[in-house]
Amino acid sequence: MSPTNDSVMLEVKDLNKNFGNVHAVRNLTFEVRKGEVLGFLGPNGAGKTTTMRIITCFIPASSGTVKVSGMDTVQNDLEVRKRIGYLPENNPLYLDMTVDEYLKFAGEIRGLKGAQLTNRIHDMFQVCGLAKMANRQIGKLSKGYKQRVGLAQAMLHNPDLLILDEPMSGLDPNQIIEIRQLIKKMGEEKTVIYCSHILSEVAATCNRILIINDGAIVASGTPDELTAGASKTSGYMLKVKGDKASVQAKLSAIPGITGVTVQESGEWLEATITSGKEDVGEKIYKCVSENGWSLAELKRHSASLEDVFTQLTRG
């Protein structure tokens, strides 16, 4: 069932962008619902940044339309800009300003003033963990704190649509967890488009993922849908004690198993097992039990988001 117009925050239709003879974006058509966190993925040169720049009114499209909250980005560009927060990958900052000065400057550009501006800056200090850095010069901050300042300016005016291009760049593991939780929280009431090469973070953060390659959409769905659809086989890793030849023969004889590789690892045997989409885990465990092998580990593995990404963007 397609969403109603009231539930759509971003609508991209038949979008194209040419730079001379280079066709950077090819007939992109997709929608992003209100309250959705969309992962927007693609290899370098796929057209991600070009698409984001068109959506944010930085550059015009060669053809096609983009609407934010039903407003055309060409006909209503000023109103659209008010509703968008954008953190570009290069995170442009005024390095000679303090954090407080920069956020005041950014807020005033956005039309905030007085108590409203002061309150929003205070909120961003708390949300982005910048309170202790308020009077520090931006140029003297670490890369992680600079990234937090960029996030703060993107969210300062409380936008309906937040576009984040590599927001985890330069953050340590604890900061990544904090920003991931922040993005999820924002996704409960706002729409977020999240561009990143850290695919594990995209899978952990986003409701839906859209992958583009060579300027065109090659896949769209939830992380589970993409990994399930991409994998024609699944497999298991088994760690047991037993006779190597017997383990090889007994496992290979199990219906549904298509391949078994057994290697010695100290006093243990490690078996890599491939199968079709059928779950043969119970059969493997039963085989181990019936043959009296000592079992250390049995785990299933299937296609990861990295596998899907590689398949779709490398042919």
Side-chain angles (χ1 to χ4, degrees):
M1 181 177 179
S2 60
T4 63
N5 289 336
D6 287 343
S7 69
V8 176
M9 173 58 64
L10 173 67
E11 181 183 3
V12 177
K13 187 173 182 181
D14 299 326
L15 190 67
N16 287 273
K17 181 62 180 178
N18 300 320
F19 295 100
N21 294 326
V22 178
H23 202 165
V25 176
R26 303 170 183 268
N27 301 314
L28 284 189
T29 297
F30 63 94
E31 292 180 344
V32 187
R33 301 175 185 87
K34 293 179 180 178
E36 185 174 20
V37 180
L38 175 73
F40 195 66
L41 305 181
N44 291 331
K48 301 188 306 297
T49 299
T50 298
T51 302
M52 295 302 101
R53 287 176 175 172
I54 294 172
I55 293 172
T56 54
C57 308
F58 277 32
I59 60 174
S62 298
S63 64
T65 59
V66 176
K67 293 182 179 180
V68 176
S69 290
M71 295 181 294
D72 188 278
T73 55
V74 175
Q75 299 174 0
N76 306 100
D77 62 320
L78 290 179
E79 286 301 315
V80 168
R81 290 170 190 257
K82 292 178 182 178
R83 288 167 169 77
I84 293 178
Y86 183 34
L87 174 62
E89 184 177 4
N90 60 0
N91 189 14
L93 299 170
Y94 290 101
L95 302 183
D96 57 337
M97 288 184 174
T98 67
V99 175
D100 186 60
E101 288 171 344
Y102 175 72
L103 292 182
K104 285 180 179 177
F105 173 71
E108 288 169 354
I109 290 177
R110 290 290 190 176
L112 302 177
K113 56 185 178 181
Q116 183 187 26
L117 175 58
T118 301
N119 291 337
R120 285 302 298 167
I121 290 175
H122 179 268
D123 290 343
M124 290 303 98
F125 281 163
Q126 301 306 313
V127 167
C128 297
L130 290 168
K132 294 181 179 179
M133 301 295 166
N135 297 314
R136 291 281 298 274
Q137 191 175 12
I138 294 175
K140 296 181 180 179
L141 297 178
S142 67
K143 186 175 181 181
Y145 273 111
K146 287 177 182 175
Q147 199 70 0
R148 291 184 181 212
V149 176
L151 281 167
Q153 71 77 23
M155 298 184 292
L156 185 61
H157 59 295
N158 199 23
D160 297 323
L161 173 61
L162 184 62
I163 298 176
L164 307 176
D165 198 350
E166 298 292 348
M168 305 300 188
S169 176
L171 301 182
D172 65 36
N174 289 330
Q175 293 168 341
I176 287 175
I177 292 172
E178 292 171 4
I179 299 301
R180 181 202 306 162
Q181 293 172 342
L182 173 60
I183 293 172
K184 284 185 174 182
K185 184 177 180 180
M186 292 194 65
E188 296 174 0
E189 53 187 49
K190 299 185 182 301
T191 303
V192 180
I193 298 179
Y194 178 13
C195 304
S196 178
H197 288 108
I198 308 176
L199 302 189
S200 58
E201 280 305 313
V202 173
T205 307
C206 300
N207 311 121
R208 183 165 64 94
I209 295 171
L210 189 150
I211 302 176
I212 68 170
N213 189 42
D214 196 22
I217 295 173
V218 293
S220 178
T222 66
D224 289 341
E225 288 171 346
L226 292 179
T227 53
S231 180
K232 295 181 180 178
T233 63
S234 62
Y236 294 81
M237 197 287 287
L238 175 68
K239 191 172 184 179
V240 294
K241 280 183 182 178
D243 176 72
K244 183 177 180 179
S246 176
V247 170
Q248 175 81 47
K250 297 288 186 181
L251 292 176
S252 298
I254 296 175
I257 287 181
T258 57
V260 178
T261 301
V262 181
Q263 294 182 330
E264 295 180 0
S265 178
E267 59 182 357
W268 295 91
L269 298 176
E270 291 185 353
T272 302
I273 304 165
T274 57
S275 66
K277 287 195 173 183
E278 176 190 0
D279 186 350
V280 295
E282 185 176 353
K283 294 179 182 179
I284 294 172
Y285 180 78
K286 186 177 180 181
C287 178
V288 172
S289 178
E290 289 177 347
N291 286 278
W293 302 331
S294 298
L295 176 64
E297 187 175 3
L298 174 61
K299 64 181 180 180
R300 184 176 184 179
H301 58 83
S302 57
S304 65
L305 187 57
E306 286 84 355
D307 296 328
V308 176
F309 184 86
T310 301
Q311 290 174 23
L312 293 172
T313 59
R314 289 187 179 175

